[in-house]
Amino acid sequence: MRLLSRTRTVLSSCLLAALLLGGCSSPVDEPAGPDAAGGGPSAGSAGSAGSAGSAGSAGASVPYDVVPLLKPSRKYFGAAVEGAPHSMKGVDAYTGMVGKQPNLIEYYAAWGDGFDATGVRNAWAEGALTLMSWEPFDTPPADIAAGGSDAYVKKYAAAVRELNLPVVISFADEFNGHWEKWGTEHTTPEEYVAAWRRVHDTFVDAGASNVIWAWSPNIVNPVGEVELEPYYPGDGYVDWIGLIGYWTVEEGSAFDSVFGPTRDQVRTFTGKPMLLLETAAMPGERRRADIRSLFEGVAADDDMLGFVWFNHRKRADWRLEASPLALEEFRRLAADDRFGFDVRKP
């Protein structure tokens, strides 16, 4: 169903180009940053784009084909680090620290921010896919569902389509938690689903099929009373299930203790592949064991696409460098060839 939708978008784009432009055109590219409303690509920065798999020929008509990236044969080896991907200095330092370059870079964008086209290009140039966690802090999902943000979303979608590189979008994650402004205390499942579908459909209407959509609940362990299925937009609107969960003193060290209950519940209503969209282990004596559980659990599950390590200090120090012995274990396990690949050649 999803593949058919993407195919129709590609065919429609080609037909439109043929009728209106007489073929592919090359609009002038302009630099963009995270605060540029709508963004845009920079000239000559990324090679040729489209279903062939190389990036960014200036203004290629055919949307980038993300299908090979949806379930690659090797695992994503991701990281969220300070300043990335707009600046890749932190990623380069992380690469030196763990001995392998991340191929999935996560960053966080507030609703209302412009599209960080520069960041996406920077990550792509180093063989990495960008994952944006899009957080509507000051805009209720009910307002988004009612069309209050349509102009903003249309402009954003147009910028994503114009850049024509693959991007992962996780909209309003951890929605099943009470701690988020868009969470259970402020938003009904119906409002959440309607907002998700409206944002998604706006991108489809803009021809931005170069987006991979990640639906990202927090693990159910701390909020077991909240059922996930009512918040699910449907398989036609989702490409990945992005699980968010951490190894803490409240969780057991086993992979299934942390992620098993959520995985099992999700599997009752969808078979979409899963990614640990945000994870880390709390510093302490157990951290090395937790890191082993992370790598072993992801490697053992064919439907688990990989993970993103949250290398920040926020409420706890999740940075690998905070625990030298655990970092050594992480570095050893990261050398496994099953983890990491150049996303430009999936």
Side-chain angles (χ1 to χ4, degrees):
M1 173 91 155
R2 183 67 183 164
L3 179 59
L4 179 59
S5 174
R6 293 191 189 281
T7 303
R8 286 173 176 165
T9 302
V10 170
L11 292 174
S12 297
S13 298
C14 291
L15 179 59
L16 183 62
L19 291 175
L20 299 181
L21 302 175
C24 295
S25 62
S26 300
V28 175
D29 295 331
E30 297 178 354
D35 299 320
S42 277
S45 63
S48 68
S51 59
S54 52
S57 83
S61 265
V62 178
Y64 192 99
D65 181 10
V66 301
V67 171
L69 295 168
L70 294 181
K71 196 174 180 183
S73 59
R74 294 164 72 184
K75 307 288 186 178
Y76 284 101
F77 179 71
V81 300
E82 192 68 36
H86 200 68
S87 168
M88 293 294 282
K89 290 181 180 179
V91 175
D92 295 341
Y94 184 89
T95 300
M97 179 174 68
V98 303
K100 178 173 284 186
Q101 182 171 308
N103 67 344
L104 183 61
I105 306 300
E106 181 170 10
Y107 80 101
Y108 302 85
W111 194 256
D113 286 355
F115 174 52
D116 187 3
T118 296
V120 175
R121 286 194 303 271
N122 290 344
W124 188 259
E126 296 193 15
L129 183 62
T130 301
L131 191 163
M132 180 186 72
S133 181
W134 208 358
E135 302 176 315
F137 286 111
D138 300 316
T139 306
D143 291 354
I144 296 171
S149 295
D150 279 2
Y152 166 62
V153 178
K154 287 177 182 177
K155 191 171 186 178
Y156 207 104
V160 171
R161 173 63 185 91
E162 183 181 1
L163 180 62
N164 203 20
L165 291 175
V167 178
V168 184
I169 293 180
S170 173
F171 169 70
D173 61 7
E174 300 183 61
F175 50 84
N176 57 321
H178 53 78
W179 51 86
E180 299 289 10
K181 286 188 174 182
W182 54 88
T184 55
E185 291 188 358
H186 307 282
T187 305
T188 67
E190 293 78 13
E191 291 168 340
Y192 182 85
V193 167
W196 177 286
R197 290 178 175 177
R198 191 171 192 108
V199 172
H200 174 280
D201 287 347
T202 301
F203 273 73
V204 171
D205 290 345
S209 61
N210 51 310
V211 174
I212 296 170
W213 295 91
W215 179 77
S216 308
N218 194 81
I219 55 172
V220 300
N221 302 14
V223 284
E225 72 283 0
V226 181
E227 293 293 326
L228 294 177
E229 186 171 9
Y231 289 89
Y232 189 60
D235 280 356
Y237 292 86
V238 172
D239 297 303
W240 290 351
I241 307 300
L243 304 184
I244 297 173
Y246 291 74
W247 273 265
T248 68
V249 293
E250 290 81 21
E251 303 289 347
S253 186
F255 186 88
D256 281 351
S257 295
V258 182
F259 294 102
T262 312
R263 179 197 59 211
D264 294 347
Q265 188 180 144
V266 169
R267 282 293 171 251
T268 65
F269 56 85
T270 182
K272 292 288 183 175
M274 296 184 180
L275 173 85
L276 303 191
L277 186 127
E278 185 182 303
T279 193
M282 185 173 283
E285 294 181 2
R286 211 185 72 180
R287 199 178 208 191
R288 280 184 293 172
D290 294 341
I291 285 172
R292 284 194 294 273
S293 293
L294 166 63
F295 277 90
E296 291 168 1
V298 172
D301 189 341
D302 289 341
D303 279 337
M304 194 66 66
L305 299 171
F307 68 87
V308 177
W309 183 273
F310 183 79
N311 208 60
H312 290 274
R313 181 188 295 171
K314 184 178 180 182
R315 296 200 271 292
D317 195 346
W318 306 106
R319 297 174 305 153
L320 287 165
E321 55 265 41
S323 305
L325 291 177
L327 170 58
E328 183 180 339
E329 183 73 350
F330 189 98
R331 185 182 178 94
R332 180 182 74 83
L333 295 168
D336 189 330
D337 284 342
R338 288 174 292 183
F339 291 89
F341 59 93
D342 187 332
V343 298
R344 297 166 299 185
K345 304 171 184 177

